[in-house]
Amino acid sequence: MNLANKITLARIFLVPIIMLFLLVNVKFPHIRIEQFSITYNQIIAALIFIIAAWTDGLDGYIARKRKLVTNLGKLLDPLADKLLVSAVLVSLVEMDKVGAWIVIVIISREFAVTGLRQIALLEGHVIAASKWGKWKTAAQITAIISLLINNFPFAFINFRFDMFASWIAAIITLYSGFDYFIKNKHVINFNE
């Protein structure tokens, strides 16, 4: 197994560790400053999430630079991304930090686009990531980090950046999904 794929696997293995810090009720102390409060386990989960999200770019860079692009990597990389984002978003719903409907929109889009890509592969086409897909990923990561760190530093000015970022992520996620389907409608044969 090459280095890029090992990094991708590491991202998958970080998912349960993040969830452990988010969902297991360990009595870590809180940091409290006026209207802002956060637990140490949330900070640790956020830091691990940031590292995991960063490895997404790193494994792709290494695979391209060293010409290590493999079929296993093509399968594992999007799977790792979807596991990371989905698991953390579901955990945030459990923690009552984000609305379930936003998470349903995001996860549904991921299933739909993955299905479209599978149909395309069966037809001999490869659907590359679009610029909207990359924007979607950036918006989701931004929203998740702001939710994980309890809207820091925006809590001090009473601006709900975490909710704003979640809405933006949901809108860009929907748009990018529609964009994939519109640009690749030729792949789907509705007459079968």
Side-chain angles (χ1 to χ4, degrees):
M1 181 176 296
N2 67 43
L3 178 61
N5 290 343
K6 287 178 183 176
I7 292 170
T8 303
L9 272 179
R11 186 162 68 253
I12 292 171
F13 290 126
L14 288 176
V15 171
I17 296 169
I18 295 168
M19 293 181 68
L20 179 74
F21 280 102
L22 289 178
L23 299 177
V24 173
N25 193 9
V26 178
K27 295 297 182 192
F28 285 110
H30 281 69
I31 297 172
R32 294 187 202 290
I33 306 168
E34 296 175 20
Q35 67 269 33
F36 178 75
S37 176
I38 190 168
T39 62
Y40 284 104
N41 53 330
Q42 282 178 264
I43 294 170
I44 293 167
L47 290 174
I48 296 170
F49 177 81
I50 290 166
I51 291 166
W54 174 73
T55 66
D56 182 30
L58 179 64
D59 62 8
Y61 172 79
I62 289 171
R64 287 185 301 277
K65 177 112 173 143
R66 297 184 181 179
K67 297 181 177 31
L68 299 174
V69 176
T70 63
N71 287 336
L72 178 62
K74 289 177 187 176
L75 171 74
L76 284 181
D77 187 60
L79 176 66
D81 298 342
K82 286 165 186 39
L83 283 172
L84 178 66
V85 169
S86 298
V88 174
L89 284 173
V90 169
S91 299
L92 289 167
V93 169
E94 172 72 18
M95 296 168 67
D96 203 27
K97 292 190 170 289
V98 67
W101 74 268
I102 289 177
V103 175
I104 291 167
V105 164
I106 290 171
I107 293 174
S108 297
R109 181 266 185 210
E110 297 303 336
F111 277 115
V113 170
T114 298
L116 176 66
R117 283 191 161 127
Q118 292 300 316
I119 292 169
L121 280 175
L122 293 173
E123 298 293 322
H125 303 284
V126 175
I127 299 176
S130 71
K131 70 174 181 177
W132 282 106
K134 293 177 195 254
W135 279 101
K136 178 261 321 173
T137 300
Q140 288 176 0
I141 290 170
T142 301
I144 289 169
I145 292 170
S146 66
L147 290 162
L148 286 173
I149 60 173
N150 289 352
N151 198 38
F152 180 82
F154 300 98
F156 296 112
I157 59 171
N158 291 323
F159 174 59
R160 291 303 307 263
F161 178 79
D162 54 350
M163 288 297 102
F164 174 76
S166 298
W167 274 83
I168 295 298
I171 291 166
I172 292 174
T173 297
L174 273 176
Y175 183 82
S176 72
F178 291 133
D179 184 58
Y180 274 108
F181 275 88
I182 290 168
K183 288 182 178 170
N184 297 288
K185 63 184 174 196
H186 63 280
V187 171
I188 302 171
N189 184 358
F190 291 104
N191 295 324
E192 288 184 0

